[in-house]
Amino acid sequence: MTPTPMTTTPDTRLAIRTSAAAGTGGPVATATADPAVRIPAQAGPPGAADAAPACVDGDGSGAPAAHDPCAHGFLPERPPVRSMIGTWTRLDAMAREAAVATGRGAAAEIIDRADRAEELTALRQRVSRLSPRNAEAAAMRVAVIAVSCGWGALDPQAPAAREVANEAFLELWAAIAHRIDHDQFVALPTLALHNWAPERKPRRHIPIDQLARTEQLVPIVRWAPEGQPLSRLDRLMLAATRLEAHGIWLFRLADTLAGRAPDDSSTPTALRRLVRIQHALRAQLHSEAAELAIAPVNDQQRAVLGALAEQGALEPPVLQAADAVLGISGRRLGEGRRQHLRRHLPAQHRAWLSAMDRHCAPVRTLAHRGGPDAAVYREAQESLIALRRTYTVLVQTAAAPTPDPLPEAA
């Protein structure tokens, strides 16, 4: 018997696109043929060369659809805005000052000075003129300021928040949240995935995930003063970005597994490739750990990490995509925990993950079966658990105090 080709059926792909579009008010794709596009072997981690067909948009042209996680994961569609212009240069400067402030009080004083100079009001009046890409850039800088000041857990529109934070800054925050249709953006996805740039000017037309994998990256807003080495927080954010870029095949495998029957001949093959990719992502994190451990850190940066951790705002989106397929957090901690982690993602990303939850449900029934296919599924779950633990260790290393220098020998 000829094995079933490992491609998601057009009907299933249409359902996923329709579900995601319906969740965001976006256009609904139309069903057409689904050509399989091979992934170049040299472009990614071991096992990714034949991992899955790349996704295509609804017209069958092979061009990636807007906000399609199979095209570039949850990375932005284009490199983040490195330098803002006009009045928005002041927000850029405030974020850079707040990130290197000695503490929350010092960061809040920077914002109070900007308020007294009416700079925040001027920015608030210009939010509606921002392009979507520049609105995301402004949101990243607002997120840096919010966590630097200790305001990350606030609802900017709640009356009680005005007793804690600068009122003009809250109005700017709320306006930007409305502009990008995302009120929980003060989290790792915003701080990491929109706070990097290639060190050198890249070749034109290079895909965003390949750019983030192959080029040397630098933070746009540094958590370390200029002229000093990158801090642990800087390196953690860049590690999260590279993890997302290396995890692009995981998104494509998730799309491949959507709608698969557990006894489909292609299901165990896809799960084995998922295991290999998760092992490769774990190796990627291990490679980041050594440099991160020796990087400088201070109390303010540890406070930022602690505040994000308390909000459940640290897990990279690529790990949430794997969970949508394998159902680890849903099985272990309940559906509420999963939605708690996802609330920091943009609406179209949450919709895609919810669609994966539904369409990968047949594959998750392998958890209750026996036989070799079920063993492969459990191996995939265990590899995801190991990957999450490795990432947790990386976060704990970033938040750990700098070890005292060894005493000099007598």
Side-chain angles (χ1 to χ4, degrees):
M1 180 182 295
T2 304
T4 304
M6 197 176 67
T7 56
T8 307
T9 63
D11 288 344
T12 301
R13 179 156 297 160
L14 172 61
I16 295 171
R17 299 293 181 270
T18 303
S19 299
T24 62
V28 177
T30 56
T32 59
D34 183 20
V37 180
R38 303 291 289 180
I39 303 171
Q42 67 274 21
D50 55 353
C55 298
V56 296
D57 67 2
D59 63 6
S61 65
H67 301 299
D68 184 357
C70 297
H72 46 67
F74 285 170
L75 289 165
E77 294 179 31
R78 296 167 60 192
V81 174
R82 189 167 192 163
S83 299
M84 303 196 76
I85 62 174
T87 306
W88 292 98
T89 58
R90 283 300 304 138
L91 181 65
D92 203 42
M94 279 184 268
R96 294 172 192 274
E97 291 179 52
V100 297
T102 55
R104 292 178 173 178
E109 177 57 30
I110 293 168
I111 305 310
D112 289 338
R113 287 200 305 268
D115 182 17
R116 291 192 292 270
E118 299 188 350
E119 293 171 342
L120 298 176
T121 301
L123 292 173
R124 166 66 184 85
Q125 294 170 348
R126 289 168 170 79
V127 169
S128 61
R129 306 176 196 174
L130 287 171
S131 68
R133 185 163 174 252
N134 280 302
E136 290 178 342
M140 182 273 287
R141 288 152 175 86
V142 166
V144 169
I145 293 171
V147 295
S148 297
C149 295
W151 302 335
L154 298 178
D155 178 352
Q157 300 189 66
R162 301 181 186 276
E163 302 175 8
V164 179
N166 181 282
E167 186 170 344
F169 177 74
L170 291 175
E171 291 177 356
L172 174 63
W173 180 354
I176 289 177
H178 178 74
R179 181 70 181 84
I180 64 174
D181 192 23
H182 185 197
D183 58 1
Q184 295 281 343
F185 63 82
V186 183
L188 183 88
T190 301
L191 289 172
L193 302 187
H194 295 278
N195 189 23
W196 62 273
E199 190 172 39
R200 62 179 184 177
K201 187 175 181 179
R203 302 187 307 275
R204 296 184 65 183
H205 309 304
I206 182 172
I208 186 71
D209 56 291
Q210 183 179 341
L211 175 67
R213 284 195 306 273
T214 59
E215 295 291 329
Q216 182 70 29
L217 305 183
V218 294
I220 295 172
V221 177
R222 288 170 50 108
W223 295 87
E226 289 293 336
Q228 296 188 16
L230 294 181
S231 70
R232 288 189 197 167
L233 190 51
D234 287 318
R235 292 192 178 278
L236 177 64
M237 300 297 180
L238 293 178
T241 299
R242 282 188 285 263
L243 182 70
E244 197 75 17
H246 282 274
I248 180 62
W249 293 274
L250 193 149
F251 284 93
R252 292 168 181 169
L253 276 170
D255 194 76
T256 295
L257 285 164
R260 287 284 163 206
D263 53 356
D264 191 307
S265 61
S266 66
T267 297
T269 302
L271 288 171
R272 290 188 190 96
R273 291 168 181 169
L274 188 65
V275 169
R276 291 203 295 273
I277 290 171
Q278 289 177 159
H279 283 323
L281 296 181
R282 192 178 177 200
Q284 173 68 27
L285 291 180
H286 278 300
S287 71
E288 308 276 358
E291 288 188 349
L292 186 144
I294 62 175
V297 68
N298 58 39
D299 291 340
Q300 170 71 340
Q301 293 166 16
R302 288 198 295 271
V304 166
L305 274 175
L308 291 175
E310 287 176 4
Q311 300 172 53
L314 279 176
E315 180 161 277
V318 67
L319 300 187
Q320 299 189 44
D323 177 74
V325 176
L326 300 172
I328 299 295
S329 67
R331 178 172 58 85
R332 183 183 57 191
L333 296 170
E335 190 65 24
R337 168 68 172 172
R338 179 177 293 165
Q339 299 306 323
H340 176 77
L341 292 174
R342 291 179 184 172
R343 74 188 194 279
H344 302 290
L345 298 175
Q348 68 270 19
H349 297 170
R350 296 196 305 270
W352 186 87
L353 290 171
S354 295
M356 282 295 154
D357 283 336
R358 294 191 297 273
H359 292 289
C360 289
V363 173
R364 292 198 294 273
T365 62
L366 285 169
H368 311 292
R369 299 189 181 195
D373 291 355
V376 172
Y377 176 80
R378 284 189 285 272
E379 184 183 1
Q381 285 189 317
E382 290 166 2
S383 69
L384 175 56
I385 292 171
L387 176 59
R388 272 181 161 157
R389 286 174 177 166
T390 302
Y391 176 75
T392 299
V393 169
L394 198 70
V395 172
Q396 292 171 344
T397 301
T402 303
D404 294 330
L406 294 175
E408 295 182 5

